[in-house]
Amino acid sequence: MYKITKIMQEIENIVRYHFKIEFNEESAYYYRFITHLKILLPNVYLKIKNKNQQEDDLLDVVQTKYANAYKCVEKIAMYIKKQYNYELYDEEKLYLTIHIHRVVYLGNRH
């Protein structure tokens, strides 16, 4: 559990620095983002591959619509590949992009 918490903090820092923001930790979007990381990161740590690649068209749409969030996900993917030798699948990138967009642009409104 310590390793997963460490990876979560590393990903939060990548997002924080990419967007130059602080998270509104009381936001529902922040909670969902953290919940998504808790689901994703055991796969990274244990190197479990989820073979469901049916979301290719949707990823194309999300890449275009949420370009800045997707650039951040690409940074996260490179970091995870380098540090943990795990390559994020497109489906994982898709959902991570959506959660990052929401936590950054919707979760930090006051």
Side-chain angles (χ1 to χ4, degrees), residues 55-71:
E55 307 290 346
D56 291 340
D57 293 341
L58 188 54
L59 179 61
D60 291 340
V61 171
V62 168
Q63 275 180 288
T64 302
K65 187 169 182 172
Y66 305 136
N68 202 12
Y70 188 76
K71 286 178 190 171

Side-chain angles (χ1 to χ4, degrees), residues 30-42 91-97 99:
Y30 178 79
Y31 176 77
R32 289 180 191 141
F33 172 61
I34 294 303
T35 300
H36 180 72
L37 291 180
K38 287 178 183 177
I39 294 166
L40 170 67
L41 293 180
E91 184 178 21
E92 293 168 327
K93 289 179 183 179
L94 166 71
Y95 290 108
L96 191 53
T97 300
H99 284 288

